[in-house]
Amino acid sequence: MPRTDRIIAIYRVRSEADAVDAKARAIANEQSVEMPLEAISDDYVLNAIAGRVESVDDCGGGEFVVRISLSAETVGAEAGQLMNMLFGNSSLHEDVILEDAELPASLLAAFTGPNVGMQALRSRLEATNRPLSCAALKPQGLSAPALADLAGRLALGGVDFIKDDHGLADQRFSPFAERVAACAAAVRNASAETGVSTRYA
């Protein structure tokens, strides 16, 4: 059997005791190959890629900790895909909660964290001894000029970091390239006016 680096996904599962093993196998399947194992004829997929139930521990009260190993190869060193592998369709089930994850050395090396730490961020803002403030641009549906106006007003108000809200992408009402250019310009202009550095992300 090929051995690949494995992610250990730790789920808290509500279940009847006599059904938890089957539920754990279903989660392992759903979080990896998403189809009946009986329909897979490729040995590599079955032995290396398919999720495996590593343990099921009874916590009492109808709750279990289920440890499932997933192939690190399925992540491809992409943070979004790691979240997909950990949460996936199982996150839609009200009786399954992702509680923790243990990453193998290969993924820890791929996801080394931010390029700069808190001290570097503070240094860029000349804010070494005070709390930092952050605001998100929202709501979806505003145009790029409207979001830029909001970003400028937030910067004039002294907000340290202004970020696009997670719901903003490349929508018709606020195209990414237009929005970023407009918001960055608005924040630069406000910072020049106030003399206080604000960063837009």
Side-chain angles (χ1 to χ4, degrees):
M1 175 186 297
R3 295 297 300 176
T4 60
D5 285 345
R6 306 292 286 184
I7 301 161
I8 303 297
I10 303 165
Y11 300 95
R12 185 167 290 266
V13 177
R14 286 194 319 274
S15 177
E16 298 295 330
D18 60 356
V20 71
D21 288 337
K23 189 173 282 192
R25 287 192 302 273
I27 294 168
N29 186 305
E30 186 63 35
Q31 293 306 110
S32 59
V33 293
E34 296 186 271
M35 62 183 293
L37 296 180
E38 298 78 15
I40 300 172
S41 59
D42 187 288
D43 286 341
Y44 176 72
V45 173
L46 284 170
N47 295 322
I49 301 300
R52 295 194 291 261
V53 177
E54 300 294 340
S55 64
V56 176
D57 296 311
D58 192 340
C59 299
E63 290 196 349
F64 298 83
V65 171
V66 175
R67 295 170 62 88
I68 292 174
S69 71
L70 304 166
S71 171
E73 288 185 77
T74 61
V75 171
E78 295 180 25
Q81 178 63 1
L82 174 61
M83 294 298 102
N84 180 49
M85 292 303 298
L86 293 172
F87 287 96
N89 290 338
S90 291
S91 66
L92 301 174
H93 300 286
E94 63 181 24
D95 54 353
V96 179
I97 297 172
L98 176 68
E99 198 166 76
D100 202 354
E102 298 169 1
L103 303 183
S106 61
L107 284 183
L108 292 174
F111 302 126
T112 57
N115 291 332
V116 298
M118 184 56 74
Q119 289 308 102
L121 295 177
R122 288 184 170 284
S123 176
R124 290 177 183 180
L125 294 169
E126 299 177 3
T128 56
N129 294 312
R130 64 171 176 79
L132 301 179
S133 59
C134 182
L137 295 177
K138 55 176 68 182
Q140 287 193 58
L142 291 181
S143 66
L147 289 167
D149 177 66
L150 176 59
R153 288 186 286 132
L154 289 167
L156 287 172
V159 173
D160 295 308
F161 292 98
I162 301 168
K163 65 174 274 298
D164 279 359
D165 187 57
H166 63 87
L168 295 176
D170 193 20
Q171 294 103 334
R172 176 191 52 76
F173 47 77
S174 181
F176 178 79
E178 179 186 351
R179 181 179 74 251
V180 169
C183 290
V187 169
R188 268 194 311 276
N189 292 341
S191 292
E193 182 178 331
T194 64
V196 176
S197 180
T198 293
R199 300 298 171 128
Y200 166 64

